[in-house]
Amino acid sequence: MSRYPVIRTSDPAFARNRLCKVFGATGFDIGGDRSGFGVQANHLQMTGLALSYCDFASDVSTDFGEATFVRQIFNIQGSGQYTVDGRAGDIAPGSWTMVLPQGRPVRLDFKGRYRQLVLRIESAALHRHLAALIGQEVSRDLVFDDNVDRSPAMDALRRRIFSFATDFNERGTFFSDLAAAEVERMVIMKFLMCHRHSYTQFLLREPLPAGSSAVRRVEEFIEANWDKPIDIEAMVAVANVSARSLFRQFKRDRGYSPADFAKRVRLDRAREMLEHSNERTAVIQVALKCGFQNPGHFARDFRLTFGELPSETLKRSAPIA
């Protein structure tokens, strides 16, 4: 997250000001000896999602007021404690907190040499993606289980969050709006699927059949909008079924998902661009324009699909000087 710095200081007053301004803190206190005080924080703000890295060199306590988003803390090093609604929980090395709810004050207490990643997701984005998944309006509050889940699904979510942070730090400044929007969508959908909450039973039940005509309509929609983010809500509206029903029917009829189909369409478009290149064409620019945020994965998928690397297609198609 080093490409997105917001705080790097040993000045408590400056740290307090920045924590309040950037992260919405309402209180900040330093415990013990202040001589070794230091704070480093990086912050990536997307549309409905934000990811922050924080490193505290000494004991600190931070308070946050009500917010429009939920947050979850993933520990990297050291120990801490969170308190919400009078309930306290430990943040042990390599662990994570419960989903800290919106609209509730939160207090965080950290011991020195503490590091963490914090995922924040706006409640409006959660409701929008959840409604698409279950195929109906989210008419009551989305309430997450207040127990700290230690399931394999949460281990997978933690890995995805750290992979997301690494990918964005390495290549995020080059991401197209298309690539950035789809990375955000994947994280939010995985968050909803991995956690237990008041709508989990809707995600676990057998989805209704969609019908093959829904698959064809969505394929036509994707082909016509290949250069835009995969909009789950739009696909659901086109298919007139829930996202889960649509995914199930795609798998049954085609053997792959809508995202797999979109990838193939974009690979086709990328090959067309490379075949009609000029001296300024670069493989990475084509990859990002077509929604592939990882050039290595793009090269692998391109070779598996077309039998040659994108650089080979570009070289073969380059105009002769």
Side-chain angles (χ1 to χ4, degrees):
M1 299 287 293
S2 58
R3 290 183 182 272
Y4 305 93
V6 291
I7 306 173
R8 189 180 185 90
T9 186
S10 57
D11 180 349
F14 180 79
R16 180 180 293 107
N17 178 270
R18 293 296 287 166
L19 285 167
C20 293
K21 186 174 182 179
V22 177
F23 299 106
T26 57
F28 178 69
D29 296 305
I30 304 170
D33 183 9
R34 296 192 173 199
S35 61
F37 173 78
V39 175
Q40 179 180 343
N42 308 317
H43 182 69
L44 168 64
Q45 181 66 57
M46 301 181 75
T47 304
L49 176 154
L51 190 65
S52 306
Y53 166 82
C54 298
D55 181 336
F56 298 99
S58 56
D59 296 0
V60 298
S61 298
T62 309
D63 293 291
F64 298 90
E66 298 179 0
T68 59
F69 50 79
V70 302
R71 59 165 67 88
Q72 187 166 29
I73 297 171
F74 296 87
N75 177 291
I76 300 174
Q77 174 186 317
S79 61
Q81 187 177 70
Y82 64 91
T83 305
V84 59
D85 284 341
R87 175 181 174 177
D90 293 327
I91 315 174
S95 71
W96 48 84
T97 66
M98 58 181 268
V99 177
L100 303 176
Q102 69 164 40
R104 299 285 192 277
V106 175
R107 181 178 178 86
L108 302 174
D109 297 286
F110 304 126
K111 296 296 183 181
R113 305 316 310 167
Y114 176 87
R115 298 189 298 137
Q116 66 180 14
L117 278 181
V118 183
L119 175 67
R120 302 187 341 193
I121 305 179
E122 291 289 340
S123 292
L126 287 170
H127 281 72
R128 187 170 67 253
H129 284 78
L130 178 60
L133 280 172
I134 64 177
Q136 65 184 63
E137 181 183 354
V138 179
S139 57
R140 52 190 172 85
D141 290 342
L142 172 61
V143 180
F144 288 87
D145 192 336
D146 59 4
N147 293 314
V148 179
D149 190 352
R150 304 297 181 191
S151 68
M154 280 303 304
D155 284 326
L157 177 62
R158 177 186 170 90
R159 290 193 299 271
R160 184 69 189 90
I161 297 303
F162 279 76
S163 175
F164 164 67
T166 300
D167 285 347
F168 230 95
N169 193 54
E170 292 178 353
R171 293 176 292 274
T173 54
F174 303 104
F175 279 13
S176 63
D177 291 342
L178 168 61
E182 294 201 349
V183 171
E184 180 174 347
R185 175 187 61 81
M186 287 188 289
V187 171
I188 294 175
M189 298 284 266
K190 193 167 187 67
F191 186 87
L192 285 167
M193 296 296 291
C194 289
H195 281 290
R196 295 194 63 84
H197 47 73
S198 52
Y199 284 83
T200 295
Q201 70 271 23
F202 294 95
L203 296 174
L204 295 177
R205 70 186 182 187
E206 184 75 11
L208 296 173
S212 298
S213 61
V215 171
R216 290 193 296 273
R217 290 196 300 273
V218 170
E219 286 179 333
E220 292 170 357
F221 174 80
I222 290 173
E223 288 181 321
N225 296 275
W226 70 270
D227 57 344
K228 300 179 180 63
I230 295 178
D231 189 328
I232 299 298
E233 296 95 321
M235 289 197 302
V236 165
V238 167
N240 197 30
V241 295
S242 74
R244 294 177 63 245
S245 295
L246 179 62
F247 297 160
R248 176 69 64 87
Q249 196 66 41
F250 252 89
K251 197 71 173 177
R252 183 175 298 161
D253 287 4
R254 302 291 193 258
Y256 49 72
S257 69
D260 293 330
F261 179 76
K263 179 192 287 188
R264 178 53 197 258
V265 171
R266 290 170 181 171
L267 285 169
D268 287 338
R269 298 297 180 272
R271 182 171 65 165
E272 291 173 6
M273 292 180 190
L274 292 169
E275 288 177 338
H276 297 84
S277 61
N278 57 49
E279 64 276 5
R280 294 186 301 275
T281 302
V283 169
I284 190 171
Q285 292 172 339
V286 171
L288 294 172
K289 185 173 183 179
C290 292
F292 297 95
Q293 66 269 18
N294 188 312
H297 292 172
F298 168 67
R300 179 201 62 197
D301 293 337
F302 192 97
R303 181 164 57 85
L304 288 173
T305 302
F306 304 120
E308 65 179 4
L309 291 169
S311 57
E312 294 170 334
T313 303
L314 177 62
K315 183 177 180 180
R316 178 168 48 80
S317 307
I320 300 175

